[in-house]
Amino acid sequence: MSSSNNSGKVLKLKSKDNQIFEVEESVAIQSELIKNVVEAGCDIGVIPLLTVHSKTLRNVIEWCQKHVDYVEENDSGSNEEEIKNWESEICEEGNNNGSDDEETKNWESEENNNGSDEEEAKNWESEGNNDGSNKEEVENWEWEENNDGSDEEELENWESKFVDVDKDSLYALLLAADYLSIDSLLERVIKQVADVIKQCRSVEEVRQTFGIKSDFTPEEEEEIREEISWID
Amino acid sequence: MGFFPDEVILQILARLPVKSLFKTKTVCKLWYRLASDKYFVRLYNELSAKNPMVLVEIYDSTESKSSLICVDNLRGVSEFSLDFLKDRVKVRASCNGLLCCSSIPDKGVYYVCNPMTREFKLLPNSRERPVTRFYPDGEATLVGLACDLSRNKFNVVLAGYHRTFGHRPDGTFICLIFDSDSNKWRKFVSFREDHFTHMNKNQVVFVNGALHWLTGSCSYILALDLDYEVWRKISLPDAVSYGSGNRVYLLESNGRLSLIQISDAWMKIWVMKDYERELWHMVDSVSLRCIRGLVPGIFPITQTGEYVFLATHKQVLVYHQRSRVWKEMYSVKNSATLPLWFSAHAFCSTIFPCD
């Protein structure tokens, strides 16, 4: 699994239903709650997590492990090479003054055109008819220079799959992430719940999805409906 | 879901787009109360301010109609209208979700509006305001909007050179400041000799309680401290001042001043990390190799810590810094239009109140 370089200390976490999970400290301290317990020196024996069921705890541990692995895999010295490349290109660029000055002059004169907007529009229209060449350029430029982004994308995809679960599991994750204070998980689940709400087509659908009863009186309902009637 | 802590509900509601939020808060009394709370409004606005978008105006000359297009990295492209102002307007400034617009038919008439909530305020006329005395054509040279998320108030600034009866500028620089708390204008006068290009005027940045404009020929940034009514100059990084031939633009980056410098082959991003001591850091240097053909006509409009939005004549592009990928987010179909960069503003969608 992970090639952690810490002391390899293992913590014992106990779920609500009395199951014990052995977890590496580096993974477990993604939870601020557990981190505080460890820092206070109270991590002797078993740490009881009274409100988290084993099913949820298992998933939470998987999340924490994935994030520890991701940080380790991406923590390399690859930045140094990039910086060297920039530095050499900057030196090259310093010798290019001639053409830059011309460009600047052209742009300054265009921007300082105090004529009316219609005049400007006419100027741009004539330029705009040179469309042919642009299309080619657009097709060519969308390429990746480095593959650094794909790791981040991979993590994002993993996270999206992770939170794509039924509502009850989602709530359990939300409560656990809040109780254990795991920012990354809390943030992602909150975003997922917001996305679920966005997909609901009506206020009633939101209520049904989350099992909430409206406690407005019919008069209040009417007032509110008017208040939001401008929204399409 | 009633068994969730209020704070969690607030965080969920804070991630809904404005229209969704307004509908969703009517689910039950608890959600309605939470979403109407001052703390929530501030939370929502601060979160939204971290997701800037590009606002451009599309002008259709065949229909003599213009519409506003909003390009967002996460949600794509949406269109909205300022019809609720019941006037033909031009957007002059944008800050934290509010827009300051001037009336096209009625010179000197200004509105501040929130296009998401459709609230608006017609700014009062003031006998103090010598509207027709701005040089050269009666219109203010600089229009700034400062929306303070923590103090929940906004200021509008109209500044320009004074025109005497002989139609010549006399060197005095008039600054009018509207304060939403007092609902009044105040005026102060100074002597200045600054010049501004079109982009300089469009790109005004509000950070640290001051409005900032880059001046023409990129000599310095002009800052207006709104509380003390003082103009001051902020220097550019040496590499920018002495790097001839580059185009430079003033943007914001997460609450800080930022400069983006564009040359033939490179785009360099600077951020002022220490405002007190005016210290600049270059935070990124981006090769423009893959958009080489677009470089002469490309203008940076807004950015987050991870993305830079740029506009060309007909497109809005986004550059993702970590993955080094360029993407076209929007392009104009018809040919009868002013360049997108001409009317582009940074924008974010908040529920900042304005009436």
Coordinates of all heavy atoms in Angstrom, one line a residue, chain B residues 294-344:
Chain B
L294 N -2.5 33.5 -31.3 CA -3.4 34.4 -30.7 C -2.8 35.5 -29.9 O -3.4 36.4 -29.4 CB -4.3 33.6 -29.7 CG -5.2 32.5 -30.4 CD1 -5.9 31.7 -29.3 CD2 -6.2 33.1 -31.3
V295 N -1.5 35.4 -29.6 CA -0.8 36.2 -28.7 C -1.0 37.7 -28.9 O -1.3 38.5 -27.9 CB 0.7 35.9 -28.5 CG1 1.4 36.9 -27.7 CG2 0.8 34.5 -27.9
P296 N -0.9 38.2 -30.1 CA -1.0 39.7 -30.2 C -2.3 40.2 -29.8 O -2.5 41.4 -29.4 CB -0.8 39.9 -31.7 CG -0.1 38.8 -32.2 CD -0.5 37.6 -31.4
G297 N -3.4 39.4 -29.9 CA -4.7 39.9 -29.6 C -5.3 39.4 -28.3 O -6.5 39.3 -28.2
I298 N -4.4 38.9 -27.4 CA -5.0 38.3 -26.2 C -4.8 39.2 -25.0 O -3.8 39.8 -24.8 CB -4.4 36.9 -26.0 CG1 -5.2 36.1 -25.0 CG2 -2.9 37.0 -25.4 CD1 -4.9 34.6 -25.1
F299 N -5.9 39.3 -24.1 CA -5.8 40.1 -22.9 C -6.3 39.3 -21.7 O -7.3 38.7 -21.7 CB -6.8 41.3 -23.1 CG -6.4 42.2 -24.3 CD1 -6.7 41.9 -25.6 CD2 -5.7 43.4 -24.0 CE1 -6.4 42.7 -26.7 CE2 -5.4 44.2 -25.1 CZ -5.7 43.9 -26.4
P300 N -5.5 39.4 -20.6 CA -5.9 38.7 -19.4 C -7.0 39.5 -18.7 O -6.9 40.7 -18.6 CB -4.6 38.6 -18.6 CG -3.8 39.8 -19.0 CD -4.2 40.1 -20.5
I301 N -8.0 38.8 -18.2 CA -9.2 39.5 -17.6 C -9.3 39.2 -16.1 O -9.5 40.1 -15.3 CB -10.5 39.1 -18.3 CG1 -10.4 39.3 -19.9 CG2 -11.7 39.9 -17.8 CD1 -10.1 40.8 -20.3
T302 N -9.2 38.0 -15.7 CA -9.3 37.6 -14.3 C -8.6 36.3 -14.0 O -8.3 35.6 -14.9 CB -10.8 37.6 -13.9 OG1 -10.9 37.5 -12.5 CG2 -11.6 36.4 -14.6
Q303 N -8.4 36.1 -12.7 CA -7.7 34.8 -12.4 C -8.1 34.4 -11.0 O -8.5 35.2 -10.1 CB -6.2 35.0 -12.5 CG -5.7 36.1 -11.5 CD -4.2 36.3 -11.6 OE1 -3.5 35.4 -12.0 NE2 -3.8 37.5 -11.3
T304 N -7.9 33.1 -10.7 CA -7.9 32.6 -9.4 C -6.5 32.2 -9.1 O -5.6 32.5 -9.9 CB -8.8 31.3 -9.2 OG1 -8.1 30.3 -10.0 CG2 -10.2 31.6 -9.8
G305 N -6.2 31.5 -8.0 CA -4.9 31.0 -7.8 C -4.5 30.0 -8.8 O -3.3 29.7 -9.0
E306 N -5.5 29.3 -9.5 CA -5.2 28.2 -10.3 C -5.5 28.4 -11.8 O -5.0 27.6 -12.6 CB -6.1 27.0 -9.9 CG -5.8 26.6 -8.5 CD -6.7 25.4 -8.1 OE1 -7.4 24.8 -9.0 OE2 -6.8 25.1 -6.9
Y307 N -6.3 29.4 -12.1 CA -6.7 29.6 -13.5 C -6.5 31.0 -13.9 O -6.7 31.9 -13.1 CB -8.2 29.3 -13.7 CG -8.6 27.9 -13.4 CD1 -9.0 27.5 -12.1 CD2 -8.7 26.9 -14.5 CE1 -9.3 26.1 -11.9 CE2 -9.0 25.6 -14.2 CZ -9.3 25.2 -12.9 OH -9.7 23.9 -12.7
V308 N -6.3 31.2 -15.2 CA -6.2 32.6 -15.7 C -7.2 32.7 -16.9 O -7.2 31.8 -17.8 CB -4.8 33.0 -16.2 CG1 -4.8 34.4 -16.8 CG2 -3.8 32.8 -15.2
F309 N -8.1 33.6 -16.9 CA -9.1 33.8 -18.0 C -8.6 34.9 -18.9 O -8.1 36.0 -18.4 CB -10.4 34.3 -17.4 CG -11.2 33.2 -16.8 CD1 -11.0 32.8 -15.5 CD2 -12.2 32.5 -17.5 CE1 -11.8 31.8 -14.9 CE2 -12.9 31.5 -16.9 CZ -12.7 31.1 -15.6
L310 N -8.6 34.7 -20.2 CA -8.1 35.7 -21.1 C -9.2 35.9 -22.2 O -10.0 34.9 -22.5 CB -6.8 35.3 -21.7 CG -5.7 34.9 -20.8 CD1 -5.5 33.4 -20.7 CD2 -4.4 35.6 -21.2
A311 N -9.2 37.0 -22.8 CA -10.1 37.3 -23.9 C -9.4 37.7 -25.1 O -8.4 38.4 -25.1 CB -11.2 38.3 -23.5
T312 N -9.9 37.3 -26.3 CA -9.4 37.8 -27.6 C -10.5 38.5 -28.3 O -11.5 38.8 -27.6 CB -8.9 36.6 -28.5 OG1 -10.0 35.8 -28.8 CG2 -7.9 35.7 -27.8
H313 N -10.4 38.7 -29.5 CA -11.4 39.4 -30.3 C -12.7 38.6 -30.2 O -13.8 39.1 -29.9 CB -10.9 39.5 -31.7 CG -11.9 40.2 -32.6 ND1 -11.6 40.5 -33.9 CD2 -13.1 40.6 -32.4 CE1 -12.6 41.1 -34.5 NE2 -13.6 41.2 -33.6
K314 N -12.6 37.3 -30.3 CA -13.8 36.5 -30.4 C -13.9 35.3 -29.4 O -14.9 34.6 -29.4 CB -14.0 35.8 -31.8 CG -14.3 36.8 -32.9 CD -14.3 36.0 -34.2 CE -14.4 36.9 -35.4 NZ -15.7 37.6 -35.5
Q315 N -12.9 35.2 -28.6 CA -12.9 34.0 -27.7 C -12.7 34.4 -26.2 O -12.0 35.4 -25.9 CB -11.8 33.0 -28.1 CG -11.9 32.5 -29.4 CD -10.6 32.1 -29.9 OE1 -9.7 32.9 -30.1 NE2 -10.4 30.8 -30.1
V316 N -13.1 33.5 -25.3 CA -12.7 33.6 -23.9 C -12.0 32.3 -23.7 O -12.5 31.2 -23.9 CB -13.9 33.7 -23.0 CG1 -13.4 33.7 -21.5 CG2 -14.6 35.1 -23.2
L317 N -10.7 32.4 -23.2 CA -9.9 31.2 -23.0 C -9.6 31.1 -21.5 O -9.6 32.1 -20.8 CB -8.5 31.3 -23.7 CG -8.5 31.6 -25.2 CD1 -7.1 31.8 -25.7 CD2 -9.2 30.5 -25.9
V318 N -9.3 29.9 -21.0 CA -8.9 29.7 -19.7 C -7.6 28.9 -19.7 O -7.5 27.9 -20.4 CB -10.0 29.1 -18.8 CG1 -10.3 27.6 -19.1 CG2 -9.6 29.2 -17.3
Y319 N -6.7 29.3 -18.8 CA -5.4 28.6 -18.7 C -5.4 28.0 -17.3 O -5.5 28.7 -16.3 CB -4.2 29.5 -18.9 CG -2.9 28.9 -18.7 CD1 -2.4 27.9 -19.5 CD2 -2.2 29.2 -17.5 CE1 -1.1 27.3 -19.3 CE2 -1.0 28.6 -17.2 CZ -0.4 27.6 -18.1 OH 0.8 27.0 -17.9
H320 N -5.2 26.7 -17.2 CA -5.1 26.0 -15.9 C -3.6 25.9 -15.6 O -2.9 25.2 -16.2 CB -5.8 24.6 -16.0 CG -5.8 23.9 -14.6 ND1 -5.9 22.6 -14.5 CD2 -5.7 24.4 -13.4 CE1 -5.9 22.3 -13.2 NE2 -5.8 23.4 -12.5
Q321 N -3.2 26.6 -14.5 CA -1.8 26.6 -14.2 C -1.1 25.3 -13.8 O 0.0 25.0 -14.3 CB -1.5 27.7 -13.1 CG -1.6 29.1 -13.6 CD -1.8 30.1 -12.5 OE1 -2.9 30.4 -12.1 NE2 -0.7 30.7 -12.2
R322 N -1.8 24.5 -13.1 CA -1.1 23.3 -12.6 C -1.0 22.3 -13.8 O 0.1 21.6 -13.9 CB -1.8 22.6 -11.4 CG -0.9 22.3 -10.4 CD -1.5 21.8 -9.1 NE -2.7 22.5 -8.7 CZ -3.5 22.1 -7.7 NH1 -3.2 21.0 -7.1 NH2 -4.5 22.8 -7.4
S323 N -2.0 22.1 -14.6 CA -1.9 21.1 -15.6 C -1.4 21.7 -16.9 O -1.1 21.0 -17.9 CB -3.3 20.5 -15.9 OG -4.1 21.5 -16.4
R324 N -1.2 23.0 -17.0 CA -0.6 23.7 -18.1 C -1.5 23.5 -19.4 O -1.0 23.4 -20.5 CB 0.8 23.2 -18.5 CG 1.7 23.1 -17.3 CD 2.3 24.5 -17.0 NE 3.4 24.4 -16.1 CZ 4.6 24.1 -16.4 NH1 5.0 23.9 -17.6 NH2 5.5 24.0 -15.4
V325 N -2.8 23.5 -19.2 CA -3.7 23.3 -20.3 C -4.5 24.5 -20.6 O -4.9 25.3 -19.7 CB -4.7 22.1 -20.0 CG1 -5.8 22.0 -21.0 CG2 -4.0 20.8 -19.8
W326 N -4.6 24.8 -21.9 CA -5.4 25.9 -22.4 C -6.7 25.4 -22.9 O -6.7 24.4 -23.6 CB -4.7 26.7 -23.5 CG -3.4 27.3 -23.2 CD1 -2.2 26.8 -23.1 CD2 -3.3 28.7 -22.8 NE1 -1.3 27.7 -22.7 CE2 -1.9 28.9 -22.6 CE3 -4.1 29.8 -22.7 CZ2 -1.4 30.2 -22.2 CZ3 -3.6 31.0 -22.4 CH2 -2.2 31.2 -22.1
K327 N -7.8 26.1 -22.6 CA -9.1 25.7 -23.1 C -9.9 26.8 -23.6 O -9.8 27.9 -23.0 CB -9.9 25.0 -22.0 CG -10.0 23.5 -22.0 CD -11.2 23.1 -21.2 CE -10.6 22.1 -20.2 NZ -11.5 21.6 -19.2
E328 N -10.6 26.6 -24.7 CA -11.5 27.7 -25.1 C -12.8 27.5 -24.4 O -13.4 26.4 -24.5 CB -11.7 27.6 -26.6 CG -12.7 28.6 -27.1 CD -13.0 28.4 -28.6 OE1 -12.3 28.9 -29.5 OE2 -14.1 27.8 -28.9
M329 N -13.3 28.5 -23.7 CA -14.5 28.4 -22.9 C -15.7 28.9 -23.7 O -16.9 28.5 -23.5 CB -14.4 29.1 -21.6 CG -13.4 28.6 -20.6 SD -13.7 26.9 -20.1 CE -15.3 27.1 -19.3
Y330 N -15.4 29.9 -24.6 CA -16.5 30.5 -25.3 C -16.0 31.2 -26.6 O -14.9 31.7 -26.6 CB -17.2 31.6 -24.4 CG -18.2 32.4 -25.1 CD1 -19.5 31.9 -25.4 CD2 -17.9 33.7 -25.5 CE1 -20.4 32.6 -26.1 CE2 -18.9 34.5 -26.2 CZ -20.1 33.9 -26.4 OH -21.1 34.7 -27.1
S331 N -16.8 31.1 -27.6 CA -16.4 31.9 -28.8 C -17.7 32.5 -29.5 O -18.8 31.9 -29.4 CB -15.6 31.1 -29.8 OG -16.4 30.3 -30.6
V332 N -17.5 33.6 -30.0 CA -18.6 34.4 -30.6 C -18.9 33.8 -32.0 O -18.0 33.6 -32.8 CB -18.3 35.9 -30.7 CG1 -19.4 36.6 -31.3 CG2 -18.0 36.4 -29.4
K333 N -20.2 33.6 -32.3 CA -20.5 33.1 -33.6 C -20.6 34.1 -34.7 O -20.0 34.0 -35.7 CB -21.9 32.3 -33.5 CG -21.9 31.3 -32.5 CD -20.8 30.2 -32.6 CE -20.7 29.4 -31.4 NZ -19.3 28.9 -31.1
N334 N -21.4 35.2 -34.4 CA -21.5 36.2 -35.5 C -20.4 37.1 -35.6 O -19.6 37.3 -34.6 CB -22.9 36.9 -35.4 CG -22.8 37.9 -34.3 OD1 -21.9 38.8 -34.2 ND2 -23.8 37.9 -33.4
S335 N -20.2 37.7 -36.7 CA -19.0 38.5 -36.9 C -19.2 40.0 -36.6 O -18.2 40.7 -36.5 CB -18.5 38.4 -38.4 OG -19.6 38.8 -39.2
A336 N -20.4 40.4 -36.5 CA -20.7 41.8 -36.2 C -20.6 42.2 -34.7 O -21.6 42.2 -34.0 CB -22.0 42.2 -36.8
T337 N -19.4 42.3 -34.2 CA -19.3 42.5 -32.8 C -18.0 43.3 -32.5 O -17.0 43.1 -33.2 CB -19.4 41.2 -32.1 OG1 -19.3 41.4 -30.7 CG2 -18.2 40.3 -32.5
L338 N -18.0 44.0 -31.4 CA -16.8 44.6 -30.9 C -16.0 43.4 -30.3 O -16.5 42.4 -29.9 CB -17.1 45.6 -29.8 CG -17.7 46.9 -30.2 CD1 -18.2 47.7 -29.0 CD2 -16.7 47.7 -31.0
P339 N -14.7 43.6 -30.2 CA -13.9 42.5 -29.6 C -14.3 42.3 -28.2 O -14.7 43.2 -27.5 CB -12.4 43.1 -29.7 CG -12.5 44.5 -30.1 CD -13.8 44.8 -30.6
L340 N -14.3 41.0 -27.8 CA -14.7 40.6 -26.5 C -13.9 41.3 -25.4 O -14.4 41.7 -24.4 CB -14.7 39.1 -26.3 CG -15.7 38.3 -27.1 CD1 -15.5 36.8 -26.8 CD2 -17.1 38.8 -26.9
W341 N -12.6 41.5 -25.6 CA -11.7 42.0 -24.6 C -12.1 43.5 -24.3 O -11.9 44.0 -23.2 CB -10.3 41.9 -25.0 CG -9.8 42.6 -26.2 CD1 -9.5 41.9 -27.4 CD2 -9.5 44.0 -26.5 NE1 -9.1 42.8 -28.4 CE2 -9.1 44.1 -27.8 CE3 -9.6 45.1 -25.7 CZ2 -8.7 45.3 -28.4 CZ3 -9.2 46.3 -26.3 CH2 -8.8 46.4 -27.6
F342 N -12.8 44.1 -25.3 CA -13.1 45.5 -25.2 C -14.1 45.8 -24.0 O -14.0 46.8 -23.3 CB -13.7 46.0 -26.5 CG -13.8 47.5 -26.6 CD1 -12.7 48.2 -27.0 CD2 -15.0 48.2 -26.4 CE1 -12.7 49.6 -27.2 CE2 -15.0 49.5 -26.6 CZ -13.9 50.2 -27.0
S343 N -15.0 44.9 -23.8 CA -16.0 45.1 -22.8 C -15.9 44.0 -21.6 O -16.8 43.9 -20.8 CB -17.4 44.9 -23.4 OG -17.6 43.6 -23.8
A344 N -14.8 43.3 -21.6 CA -14.7 42.2 -20.6 C -14.4 42.8 -19.2 O -13.6 43.7 -19.0 CB -13.6 41.3 -21.0

